[in-house]
Amino acid sequence: MDLQGNHRESPLVIENLGFWAAAAGMAVAVAVILLLALRRGEQAEPPRSDAQMYRDQLADVARDVARGIVPPEEEARLRTEIGRRLLDADLNAGTALQATTSGNKAVWSAVVTVVVLAGAVGLYLRWGAPGYPDLPLALRHQMSDEVLANRLSQADAVARTPAAPALPPPDADFADLMDKLRKTVAERPDDVTGLALLARNEAALGNLVAAEEAQRRMIAVKGAAASGADHSALADIMIRAAGGFVSPEAEAELISALERDPKNGAARYFSGLMVAQGGRYDRTFLMWKTLLDEGPDDAPWIAPIRAQLPQIAARAGINYDLPPEAGPDAADIAAAAEMSPEDRQAMIEGMVGQLSGRLATEGGPAEDWAKLIRALGVLKDTTRAGAIYAEAQTRFAGDGAALSFLKEAALEAGLIP
């Protein structure tokens, strides 16, 4: 229907009519081929009861002549008469068989043809896409771009996201610390450190609205000094609030993060997630595979990439096998065993330094924090181990499983008697 209320035939309907006409033509052609093939089947041998009787009579004539029962001058006449009857019997039997066989073949040919064509139509209606127009690659890319351009805003996405299950309330001491932190930030709204702590801990408690507000305030206070990590952290909070959906507003933060730090892994991961939500699995595959190849293996985005990349590759039409997870090989283990205590101590300190720096700047799962606490316990650095344990408790407040995991590491490190 046009703007004046007149009905108009849409191009899609015309395309569908053309498709069904072509499909019907091919179905008729297939039916004809099937019928012709079935009619070429080998016919069964016709019944020969009457004909066999006359053949037996011909054999009897020869025996009777030999025995002298039939005069030799009668042999030719008898053979001619019996031969004529044999010919008539053959003709009658062949005609009846042809009529019966032709009728049976016609029925079975029709049945087989109908079953085959009906099965083909049924399979297409079940697994195909009736009425769906052809989608060249360029058109698919255009449609993906339109999906991304017209996707939900952050506010709409958050409004449509089901409420997350409530986290268990934090313990009294942590709740008291959070109250003091909120009060301090309210009194000192330009305190960058306080805002960063508030955003991080509000997010850990599941208070994503308050976390986003604090992170935005921190970025505004920093101004041009805001880092790529600051903007990617804000995007992370927004994406979590939207149930994993990357809105245009979150995309703007990812762009800001990559403008400041093109190698920012979190921003690159979320950018790949965004284009996947628009249907561009080919682009997602390239972005995530590059991240996976670059590592490091303990980066927080590696695990979700490994979990999703095979499916992304399949949707992109790419044959891909995940590389095996990296780990110390036999040579590394042997080399570590042969180290002197001083060298082994230096190696552990180097690992601790790298892990501590990454957790301080990018964060990480509770397992990584527990690993750092244990390593510091091995180094007998209980002061740093205690500080890390306290920070980890703050980060994972309300997460009973993570806190239990951290407590176990603290026990092994000798922090808890």
Side-chain angles (χ1 to χ4, degrees), residues 25-80:
M26 287 188 289
V28 171
V30 170
V32 171
I33 293 172
L34 287 174
L35 289 171
L36 291 176
L38 290 171
R39 290 179 66 87
R40 291 194 189 102
E42 183 178 357
Q43 293 185 350
E45 282 295 322
R48 309 296 286 175
S49 57
D50 291 343
Q52 187 61 44
M53 180 185 66
Y54 293 127
R55 289 191 178 93
D56 291 342
Q57 289 179 357
L58 285 174
D60 290 342
V61 168
R63 286 194 297 269
D64 290 344
V65 170
R67 295 172 183 173
I69 298 174
V70 175
E73 59 270 16
E74 288 291 324
E75 181 181 2
R77 185 184 64 78
L78 290 174
R79 285 185 177 278
T80 300

Coordinates of all heavy atoms in Angstrom, one line a residue, residues 25-80:
G25 N 8.5 -25.4 -12.4 CA 9.0 -26.0 -13.7 C 10.0 -27.1 -13.4 O 10.0 -28.1 -14.1
M26 N 10.9 -26.9 -12.5 CA 11.9 -27.9 -12.2 C 11.2 -29.2 -11.6 O 11.6 -30.3 -11.9 CB 12.9 -27.4 -11.2 CG 13.9 -26.4 -11.8 SD 15.2 -25.9 -10.7 CE 14.4 -24.9 -9.5
A27 N 10.1 -29.0 -10.8 CA 9.4 -30.1 -10.3 C 8.8 -31.0 -11.4 O 8.9 -32.2 -11.4 CB 8.4 -29.7 -9.3
V28 N 8.2 -30.3 -12.4 CA 7.6 -31.0 -13.5 C 8.7 -31.7 -14.3 O 8.5 -32.9 -14.7 CB 6.9 -30.0 -14.4 CG1 6.5 -30.7 -15.7 CG2 5.7 -29.4 -13.7
A29 N 9.8 -31.1 -14.5 CA 10.9 -31.7 -15.2 C 11.4 -33.0 -14.5 O 11.7 -34.0 -15.1 CB 12.1 -30.7 -15.4
V30 N 11.5 -32.9 -13.2 CA 12.0 -34.0 -12.4 C 11.0 -35.1 -12.5 O 11.3 -36.3 -12.6 CB 12.2 -33.6 -10.9 CG1 12.4 -34.8 -10.0 CG2 13.4 -32.7 -10.8
A31 N 9.7 -34.8 -12.4 CA 8.6 -35.8 -12.5 C 8.7 -36.5 -13.8 O 8.5 -37.8 -13.9 CB 7.2 -35.1 -12.3
V32 N 8.9 -35.8 -14.9 CA 9.0 -36.4 -16.2 C 10.2 -37.4 -16.3 O 10.1 -38.5 -16.8 CB 9.1 -35.4 -17.3 CG1 9.4 -36.0 -18.7 CG2 7.8 -34.6 -17.4
I33 N 11.3 -37.0 -15.8 CA 12.5 -37.8 -15.8 C 12.3 -39.1 -14.9 O 12.6 -40.2 -15.3 CB 13.7 -37.0 -15.2 CG1 14.1 -35.9 -16.2 CG2 14.9 -37.9 -15.0 CD1 15.1 -34.9 -15.6
L34 N 11.6 -38.9 -13.8 CA 11.3 -40.1 -12.9 C 10.4 -41.1 -13.7 O 10.6 -42.3 -13.6 CB 10.7 -39.7 -11.6 CG 11.6 -39.0 -10.6 CD1 10.8 -38.5 -9.4 CD2 12.7 -40.0 -10.1
L35 N 9.4 -40.6 -14.3 CA 8.4 -41.4 -15.0 C 9.1 -42.2 -16.1 O 8.9 -43.4 -16.3 CB 7.2 -40.6 -15.5 CG 6.3 -40.1 -14.5 CD1 5.3 -39.1 -15.1 CD2 5.5 -41.2 -13.8
L36 N 9.9 -41.5 -16.9 CA 10.6 -42.1 -18.0 C 11.6 -43.2 -17.5 O 11.7 -44.3 -18.1 CB 11.4 -41.1 -18.8 CG 10.5 -40.1 -19.6 CD1 11.4 -39.1 -20.3 CD2 9.7 -40.8 -20.7
A37 N 12.3 -42.9 -16.4 CA 13.2 -43.9 -15.8 C 12.5 -45.1 -15.3 O 12.9 -46.2 -15.5 CB 14.0 -43.2 -14.7
L38 N 11.3 -44.9 -14.7 CA 10.6 -46.0 -14.2 C 10.0 -46.9 -15.3 O 9.9 -48.1 -15.1 CB 9.5 -45.5 -13.3 CG 9.9 -44.9 -11.9 CD1 8.8 -44.3 -11.2 CD2 10.5 -46.0 -11.0
R39 N 9.6 -46.3 -16.4 CA 9.0 -47.0 -17.5 C 10.1 -47.9 -18.2 O 9.8 -48.7 -19.0 CB 8.4 -46.1 -18.5 CG 7.1 -45.5 -17.9 CD 6.4 -44.5 -18.9 NE 6.0 -45.3 -20.1 CZ 4.8 -45.9 -20.2 NH1 3.9 -45.8 -19.2 NH2 4.4 -46.5 -21.3
R40 N 11.4 -47.6 -18.0 CA 12.4 -48.3 -18.7 C 12.8 -49.6 -17.9 O 13.7 -50.3 -18.3 CB 13.7 -47.5 -18.8 CG 13.5 -46.3 -19.8 CD 14.9 -45.8 -20.2 NE 14.7 -44.6 -21.0 CZ 14.9 -43.3 -20.5 NH1 15.2 -43.2 -19.2 NH2 14.7 -42.3 -21.3
G41 N 12.1 -49.8 -16.8 CA 12.4 -51.0 -16.0 C 12.2 -52.3 -16.8 O 11.3 -52.4 -17.7
E42 N 13.0 -53.3 -16.5 CA 12.9 -54.6 -17.2 C 11.5 -55.2 -16.8 O 11.2 -55.3 -15.7 CB 14.0 -55.5 -16.7 CG 14.0 -56.8 -17.5 CD 15.2 -57.7 -17.1 OE1 16.0 -57.2 -16.3 OE2 15.3 -58.8 -17.6
Q43 N 10.8 -55.7 -17.8 CA 9.5 -56.3 -17.6 C 9.8 -57.8 -17.2 O 10.7 -58.4 -17.5 CB 8.7 -56.4 -18.9 CG 8.3 -55.0 -19.4 CD 7.4 -55.1 -20.7 OE1 7.3 -56.2 -21.2 NE2 6.8 -54.1 -21.1
A44 N 8.8 -58.3 -16.4 CA 8.9 -59.6 -15.9 C 8.5 -60.6 -17.0 O 7.8 -60.2 -17.9 CB 8.0 -59.8 -14.7
E45 N 9.0 -61.8 -16.9 CA 8.7 -62.8 -17.9 C 7.2 -63.1 -17.9 O 6.6 -63.3 -16.8 CB 9.5 -64.1 -17.7 CG 10.9 -64.1 -18.1 CD 11.0 -64.0 -19.6 OE1 10.2 -64.6 -20.3 OE2 11.9 -63.2 -20.1
P46 N 6.5 -63.1 -19.1 CA 5.0 -63.3 -19.1 C 4.7 -64.8 -18.7 O 5.5 -65.7 -19.0 CB 4.6 -63.0 -20.5 CG 5.8 -63.2 -21.3 CD 7.0 -62.9 -20.4
P47 N 3.6 -65.0 -18.2 CA 3.2 -66.4 -18.0 C 3.0 -67.2 -19.3 O 2.6 -66.6 -20.3 CB 1.8 -66.3 -17.3 CG 1.3 -65.0 -17.6 CD 2.5 -64.1 -17.8
R48 N 3.5 -68.4 -19.3 CA 3.5 -69.2 -20.6 C 2.7 -70.5 -20.5 O 3.1 -71.5 -21.2 CB 5.0 -69.5 -20.9 CG 6.0 -68.3 -20.9 CD 5.7 -67.3 -21.9 NE 6.1 -67.8 -23.2 CZ 5.8 -67.1 -24.3 NH1 5.1 -66.0 -24.3 NH2 6.2 -67.6 -25.5
S49 N 1.6 -70.5 -19.8 CA 0.9 -71.8 -19.6 C 0.4 -72.4 -21.0 O 0.7 -73.5 -21.3 CB -0.3 -71.6 -18.6 OG -1.1 -70.6 -19.1
D50 N -0.4 -71.6 -21.7 CA -1.0 -72.1 -23.0 C 0.1 -72.3 -24.0 O 0.2 -73.3 -24.8 CB -2.0 -71.1 -23.6 CG -3.3 -71.1 -22.8 OD1 -3.5 -72.0 -22.0 OD2 -4.0 -70.1 -22.9
A51 N 1.1 -71.3 -24.1 CA 2.1 -71.5 -25.0 C 3.0 -72.7 -24.8 O 3.4 -73.4 -25.7 CB 3.0 -70.2 -25.0
Q52 N 3.2 -73.0 -23.5 CA 4.0 -74.1 -23.1 C 3.3 -75.4 -23.5 O 4.0 -76.4 -24.0 CB 4.3 -74.2 -21.6 CG 5.3 -75.2 -21.2 CD 6.6 -75.1 -21.9 OE1 7.2 -74.0 -21.9 NE2 7.2 -76.1 -22.4
M53 N 2.0 -75.5 -23.4 CA 1.3 -76.7 -23.9 C 1.5 -76.9 -25.4 O 1.7 -78.1 -25.8 CB -0.2 -76.5 -23.6 CG -1.1 -77.7 -24.0 SD -2.9 -77.3 -23.8 CE -3.1 -76.0 -25.0
Y54 N 1.4 -75.9 -26.2 CA 1.6 -76.1 -27.6 C 3.0 -76.5 -27.9 O 3.3 -77.2 -28.9 CB 1.2 -74.8 -28.4 CG -0.3 -74.5 -28.3 CD1 -0.8 -73.3 -27.9 CD2 -1.2 -75.5 -28.6 CE1 -2.1 -73.0 -27.8 CE2 -2.6 -75.2 -28.6 CZ -3.0 -74.0 -28.1 OH -4.4 -73.7 -28.1
R55 N 4.0 -75.9 -27.1 CA 5.4 -76.4 -27.4 C 5.5 -77.9 -27.1 O 6.3 -78.6 -27.7 CB 6.3 -75.5 -26.5 CG 6.5 -74.1 -27.0 CD 7.6 -73.4 -26.3 NE 7.8 -72.1 -26.8 CZ 7.2 -71.0 -26.2 NH1 6.5 -71.2 -25.1 NH2 7.4 -69.8 -26.7
D56 N 4.9 -78.3 -26.0 CA 4.9 -79.7 -25.7 C 4.3 -80.6 -26.8 O 4.8 -81.7 -27.1 CB 4.2 -80.0 -24.3 CG 4.9 -79.4 -23.1 OD1 6.1 -79.0 -23.3 OD2 4.3 -79.2 -22.1
Q57 N 3.2 -80.1 -27.4 CA 2.6 -80.8 -28.5 C 3.5 -80.9 -29.7 O 3.6 -82.0 -30.4 CB 1.3 -80.1 -28.9 CG 0.2 -80.3 -27.9 CD -1.1 -79.6 -28.3 OE1 -1.1 -78.9 -29.4 NE2 -2.2 -79.7 -27.5
L58 N 4.3 -79.8 -30.0 CA 5.3 -79.9 -31.1 C 6.3 -81.0 -30.8 O 6.7 -81.8 -31.7 CB 6.0 -78.6 -31.3 CG 5.1 -77.5 -31.9 CD1 5.9 -76.1 -31.9 CD2 4.8 -77.9 -33.4
A59 N 6.7 -81.1 -29.5 CA 7.7 -82.1 -29.2 C 7.1 -83.5 -29.3 O 7.7 -84.5 -29.8 CB 8.2 -81.9 -27.8
D60 N 5.8 -83.6 -29.0 CA 5.1 -84.9 -29.1 C 5.0 -85.4 -30.5 O 5.0 -86.6 -30.8 CB 3.7 -84.8 -28.4 CG 3.9 -84.7 -26.9 OD1 4.9 -85.0 -26.3 OD2 2.9 -84.2 -26.3
V61 N 4.8 -84.4 -31.4 CA 4.6 -84.8 -32.8 C 5.9 -85.5 -33.3 O 5.8 -86.5 -34.0 CB 4.3 -83.5 -33.7 CG1 4.5 -83.9 -35.2 CG2 2.9 -83.0 -33.4
A62 N 7.1 -84.9 -33.0 CA 8.3 -85.6 -33.4 C 8.4 -87.0 -32.9 O 8.9 -87.9 -33.5 CB 9.5 -84.7 -33.0
R63 N 8.0 -87.2 -31.6 CA 8.2 -88.5 -31.0 C 7.2 -89.5 -31.6 O 7.5 -90.7 -31.8 CB 7.9 -88.4 -29.4 CG 9.1 -87.8 -28.7 CD 9.0 -88.0 -27.2 NE 7.8 -87.4 -26.7 CZ 7.7 -86.2 -26.2 NH1 8.8 -85.4 -26.2 NH2 6.6 -85.7 -25.7
D64 N 5.9 -89.0 -31.9 CA 4.9 -89.9 -32.5 C 5.3 -90.3 -33.9 O 5.0 -91.5 -34.3 CB 3.6 -89.1 -32.5 CG 2.9 -89.0 -31.1 OD1 3.4 -89.6 -30.2 OD2 2.0 -88.1 -31.0
V65 N 5.9 -89.4 -34.6 CA 6.4 -89.8 -36.0 C 7.5 -90.9 -35.9 O 7.5 -91.9 -36.6 CB 6.9 -88.6 -36.7 CG1 7.6 -89.0 -38.0 CG2 5.8 -87.6 -37.1
A66 N 8.4 -90.7 -34.9 CA 9.5 -91.6 -34.7 C 8.9 -93.0 -34.3 O 9.5 -94.1 -34.6 CB 10.5 -91.1 -33.7
R67 N 7.8 -93.0 -33.5 CA 7.3 -94.3 -33.1 C 6.3 -94.9 -34.1 O 5.8 -96.1 -33.9 CB 6.5 -94.1 -31.8 CG 7.3 -93.7 -30.6 CD 6.5 -93.3 -29.5 NE 7.2 -92.8 -28.3 CZ 6.7 -92.3 -27.2 NH1 5.4 -92.1 -27.1 NH2 7.5 -91.9 -26.3
G68 N 6.0 -94.2 -35.2 CA 5.1 -94.7 -36.2 C 3.7 -94.5 -35.9 O 2.8 -95.0 -36.6
I69 N 3.4 -93.7 -34.9 CA 2.0 -93.4 -34.5 C 1.4 -92.4 -35.5 O 0.2 -92.5 -35.9 CB 1.9 -92.9 -33.1 CG1 2.4 -94.0 -32.1 CG2 0.5 -92.5 -32.7 CD1 2.5 -93.5 -30.6
V70 N 2.2 -91.5 -35.9 CA 1.7 -90.4 -36.9 C 2.4 -90.7 -38.2 O 3.7 -90.8 -38.2 CB 2.0 -89.0 -36.3 CG1 1.6 -88.0 -37.4 CG2 1.2 -88.8 -35.0
P71 N 1.7 -90.7 -39.3 CA 2.3 -90.9 -40.6 C 3.3 -89.7 -40.9 O 2.9 -88.6 -40.5 CB 1.2 -91.0 -41.6 CG 0.0 -91.4 -40.7 CD 0.2 -90.8 -39.4
P72 N 4.4 -90.0 -41.5 CA 5.3 -88.9 -41.9 C 4.6 -87.8 -42.7 O 5.0 -86.6 -42.5 CB 6.4 -89.6 -42.7 CG 6.3 -91.0 -42.2 CD 4.9 -91.3 -41.9
E73 N 3.6 -88.1 -43.6 CA 3.0 -87.1 -44.4 C 2.1 -86.1 -43.6 O 1.8 -85.1 -44.1 CB 2.2 -87.7 -45.6 CG 1.1 -88.7 -45.1 CD 1.6 -90.1 -44.9 OE1 2.8 -90.3 -44.9 OE2 0.7 -91.0 -44.8
E74 N 1.8 -86.6 -42.3 CA 0.9 -85.7 -41.5 C 1.8 -84.7 -40.6 O 1.2 -83.8 -40.0 CB 0.0 -86.5 -40.6 CG -1.1 -87.3 -41.3 CD -2.1 -86.3 -41.8 OE1 -2.4 -85.3 -41.0 OE2 -2.7 -86.5 -42.8
E75 N 3.1 -85.0 -40.5 CA 3.9 -84.2 -39.6 C 3.9 -82.7 -40.0 O 3.7 -81.9 -39.1 CB 5.3 -84.8 -39.6 CG 6.3 -84.0 -38.7 CD 7.7 -84.6 -38.8 OE1 8.0 -85.5 -39.5 OE2 8.5 -84.0 -38.0
A76 N 4.1 -82.4 -41.2 CA 4.1 -81.0 -41.6 C 2.8 -80.3 -41.3 O 2.8 -79.1 -40.8 CB 4.5 -80.9 -43.1
R77 N 1.7 -80.9 -41.6 CA 0.4 -80.3 -41.3 C 0.2 -80.0 -39.8 O -0.2 -78.9 -39.4 CB -0.7 -81.1 -41.9 CG -2.1 -80.5 -41.8 CD -3.2 -81.4 -42.2 NE -3.3 -82.6 -41.4 CZ -3.9 -82.6 -40.2 NH1 -4.4 -81.5 -39.7 NH2 -3.9 -83.7 -39.5
L78 N 0.5 -81.0 -39.0 CA 0.4 -80.9 -37.6 C 1.3 -79.8 -37.0 O 0.9 -79.0 -36.2 CB 0.7 -82.2 -36.9 CG -0.4 -83.3 -37.1 CD1 0.1 -84.6 -36.4 CD2 -1.7 -82.9 -36.5
R79 N 2.5 -79.8 -37.5 CA 3.4 -78.7 -37.0 C 2.9 -77.3 -37.4 O 3.0 -76.4 -36.6 CB 4.8 -78.9 -37.6 CG 5.6 -80.1 -36.9 CD 7.0 -80.2 -37.4 NE 7.7 -81.2 -36.8 CZ 8.3 -81.1 -35.6 NH1 8.3 -79.9 -34.9 NH2 9.0 -82.1 -35.0
T80 N 2.3 -77.2 -38.6 CA 1.8 -75.9 -39.0 C 0.7 -75.5 -38.1 O 0.6 -74.3 -37.7 CB 1.4 -76.0 -40.5 OG1 2.5 -76.3 -41.3 CG2 0.8 -74.6 -41.0

